[in-house]
């Protein structure tokens, strides 16, 4: 099977590193001056693409005050990495032989639990950054009855239960209930964008879009464009997990989830939330085949609930500062807005051939967002 490594975004894609001190200082001076005069009339920033550096421009309606997420940001946002899942026919044959005769392997590592999903206890919640990839698991062939057989995700949480929010606490002058709101809005974004069966089947992520601030220039416009007319620079996969229902459907109702959310006081006097989650989707072809494969998607999102007193924002709505995506087992260089998993029995029929190194898509200890090559996945 083939696995697709996320490609680094081009210079046309939006950025996520911090604002320079000079720009931020100038912005504060402008904001505070306008607050005193009650007639804000400062330059605004307009993000040209979800994949572009956000550059300051003039010409917004009088009275507009720019918010944090669209201030000349550098770095990465909406970058993605694709990896083909190229496991190869010899390995597939070996797995088939071992499945029929596990005694061929010394010690019979499958034991009485070969081919099942029920023998291992769930992992405890992830509370710190992992330092290594998950341990190897005995090879096994996924089936409709046991779609996570042979996957480290077998021990992960099911669906939204895997998105565990930390206990909200006050952040200085920011009250506890505002922190709780930021966490809940981030979870709502993650759940709808990655776990809603209608969205995964190509539907519109209405709940996810509803938590984003319409006053953040271009963000909702660009996401709407990506859903309506996907392209390399306007790709809904930057933020949403989607399969083409004409080609692929989920194998069962469970998506395995692992990751964590943290929060701190933001640079813009609000609640900054950092989310890092991996979602594992077992899928089958829509033609009635029972052959199961898996696509693994990792997302890193930085969002902030800005101070509505200091910034002209929509109260209770999130500003997106960064969203990186890393997709395993999805064909490279196809920009139709859908993930395209490869199946063991199929030769790759679409997308660019992998050229980058082998990557473990289950490895949550590595950074994502800076890779450029389409590589191969070590496992799916």
């Amino acid at each position: 099977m083939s696995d697709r490594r996320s490609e680094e975004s081009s210079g046309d894609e939006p950025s996520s590193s911090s604002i320079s001190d000079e720009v931020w200082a100038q912005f504060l001076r402008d904001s505070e001056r306008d607050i005193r005069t009650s007639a804000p009339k400062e330059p605004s920033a307009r993000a040209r693409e979800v994949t572009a550096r956000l550059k300051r421009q003039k010409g917004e309606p009088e009275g507009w005050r720019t918010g944090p997420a669209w201030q000349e940001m550098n770095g990465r946002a909406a970058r993605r990495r694709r990896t083909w899942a190229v496991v190869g026919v010899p390995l597939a044959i070996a797995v088939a032989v071992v499945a029929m005769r596990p005694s061929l392997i010394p010690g019979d590592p499958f034991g009485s639990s070969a081919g099942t999903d029920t023998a291992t206890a769930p992992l405890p919640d992830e509370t710190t950054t992992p330092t290594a990839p998950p341990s190897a698991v005995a090879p096994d062939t996924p089936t409709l009855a046991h779609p996570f057989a042979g996957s480290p995700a077998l021990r992960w949480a099911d669906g939204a239960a895997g998105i565990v929010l930390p206990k909200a606490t006050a952040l200085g002058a920011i009250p506890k209930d505002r922190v709780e709101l930021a966490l809940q809005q981030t979870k709502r974004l993650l759940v709808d964008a990655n776990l809603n069966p209608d969205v995964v089947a190509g539907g519109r992520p209405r709940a996810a879009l509803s938590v984003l601030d319409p006053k953040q220039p271009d963000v909702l416009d660009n996401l709407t464009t990506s859903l309506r007319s996907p392209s390399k620079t306007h790709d809904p996969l930057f933020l949403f997990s989607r399969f083409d229902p004409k080609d692929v459907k989920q194998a069962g109702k469970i998506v395995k989830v692992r990751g964590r959310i943290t929060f701190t006081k933001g640079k813009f006097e609000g609640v900054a939330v950092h989310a890092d989650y991996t979602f594992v989707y077992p899928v089958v072809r829509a033609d009635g085949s029972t052959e199961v494969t898996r696509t693994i998607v990792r997302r890193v999102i930085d969002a902030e609930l800005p101070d509505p007193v200091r910034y002209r924002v929509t109260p209770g709505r999130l500003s997106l500062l960064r969203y990186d995506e890393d997709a395993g087992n999805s064909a490279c260089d196809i920009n139709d807005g859908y993930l395209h998993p490869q199946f063991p029995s199929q030769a790759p029929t679409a997308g660019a051939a992998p050229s980058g190194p082998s990557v473990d898509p289950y490895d949550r200890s590595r950074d994502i967002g800076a890779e450029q090559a389409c590589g191969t996945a070590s496992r799916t």
Side-chain angles (χ1 to χ4, degrees):
M1 293 189 288
S2 120
D3 190 285
R4 172 174 138 170
R5 238 178 142 164
S6 86
E7 305 162 346
E8 181 176 356
S9 65
S10 68
D12 295 331
E13 298 177 355
S15 157
S16 73
S17 67
S18 61
I19 300 173
S20 68
D21 292 340
E22 295 78 20
V23 171
W24 178 236
Q26 182 60 47
F27 173 72
L28 286 179
R29 288 194 294 271
D30 292 344
S31 296
E32 291 166 356
R33 183 195 63 227
D34 292 335
I35 290 171
R36 289 195 301 270
T37 60
S38 300
K41 204 172 182 179
E42 59 213 65
S44 71
R46 181 174 178 82
R48 289 180 292 175
E49 297 290 341
V50 288
T51 55
R53 278 192 176 185
L54 306 174
K55 294 185 177 179
R56 182 171 298 175
Q57 297 177 349
K58 295 184 178 181
E60 293 289 349
E62 182 175 351
W64 175 269
R65 179 170 294 122
T66 58
W70 46 92
Q71 295 291 324
E72 286 192 24
M73 311 197 65
N74 300 312
R76 61 185 186 277
R79 290 183 179 174
R80 56 179 180 169
R81 170 188 206 163
R82 304 290 179 181
T83 324
W84 287 64
V86 180
V87 176
V89 174
L91 178 56
I93 294 173
V95 170
V97 171
V98 170
M100 291 185 289
R101 297 187 62 191
S103 61
L104 292 175
I105 295 182
D108 187 8
F110 292 97
S112 61
S113 63
T116 72
D117 287 341
T118 58
T120 23
L123 289 174
D125 296 336
E126 183 179 290
T127 56
T128 60
T129 302
T131 58
S135 300
V137 291
D140 206 348
T141 302
T143 65
L144 287 173
H146 306 290
F148 298 99
S151 166
L154 174 59
R155 300 182 61 197
W156 294 7
D158 295 350
I163 303 177
V164 179
L165 299 180
K167 182 179 179 180
T169 58
L171 293 170
I174 302 174
K176 174 182 175 181
D177 60 350
R178 185 157 183 79
V179 174
E180 181 66 28
L181 175 61
L183 294 171
Q184 292 291 347
Q185 290 289 68
T186 303
K187 180 171 182 175
R188 188 179 183 192
L189 170 65
L190 289 167
V191 169
D192 192 54
N194 300 283
L195 298 173
N196 183 337
D198 293 334
V199 173
V200 174
R204 185 173 179 81
R206 292 182 175 83
L209 295 172
S210 73
V211 307
L212 302 178
D213 193 346
K215 292 183 178 179
Q216 185 179 4
D218 284 356
V219 169
L220 283 178
D221 286 345
N222 284 334
L223 290 173
T224 299
T225 297
S226 74
L227 291 163
R228 182 180 62 246
S229 304
S231 65
K232 186 173 183 178
T233 56
H234 287 86
D235 192 338
L237 297 179
F238 289 156
L239 194 59
F240 312 115
S241 295
R242 308 167 80 238
F243 296 90
D244 187 343
K246 298 189 297 297
D247 297 331
V248 172
K249 62 180 181 180
Q250 284 188 256
K253 298 180 179 180
I254 295 176
V255 176
K256 290 289 187 176
V257 179
R258 188 156 184 80
R260 65 196 180 281
I261 286 181
T262 57
F263 66 91
T264 188
K265 185 174 181 179
K267 295 180 180 179
F268 313 105
E269 307 304 322
V271 183
V273 181
H274 177 79
D276 183 341
Y277 281 91
T278 300
F279 304 88
V280 182
Y281 302 91
V283 295
V284 295
R285 292 189 292 273
D287 61 6
S289 169
T290 59
E291 182 182 27
V292 177
T293 190
R294 293 180 287 258
T295 290
I296 303 98
V297 178
R298 184 175 168 196
R299 299 195 181 279
V300 176
I301 294 175
D302 287 315
E304 184 161 346
L305 195 64
D307 181 355
V309 174
R310 184 158 192 169
Y311 299 100
R312 185 160 296 180
V313 295
T314 304
R317 299 289 188 92
L318 294 175
S319 293
L320 282 179
L321 307 183
R322 168 195 177 187
Y323 41 112
D324 284 352
E325 177 227 11
D326 182 284
N329 192 13
S330 184
C332 302
D333 296 334
I334 299 179
N335 301 305
D336 62 357
Y338 297 112
L339 296 160
H340 290 275
Q342 297 291 316
F343 290 82
S345 65
Q346 287 182 318
T349 57
S355 59
S358 175
V359 173
D360 182 354
Y362 291 97
D363 183 1
R364 294 186 37 75
S365 67
R366 60 189 174 88
D367 292 332
I368 67 171
E371 303 82 2
Q372 300 184 30
C374 172
T376 57
S378 60
R379 53 181 171 176
T380 58

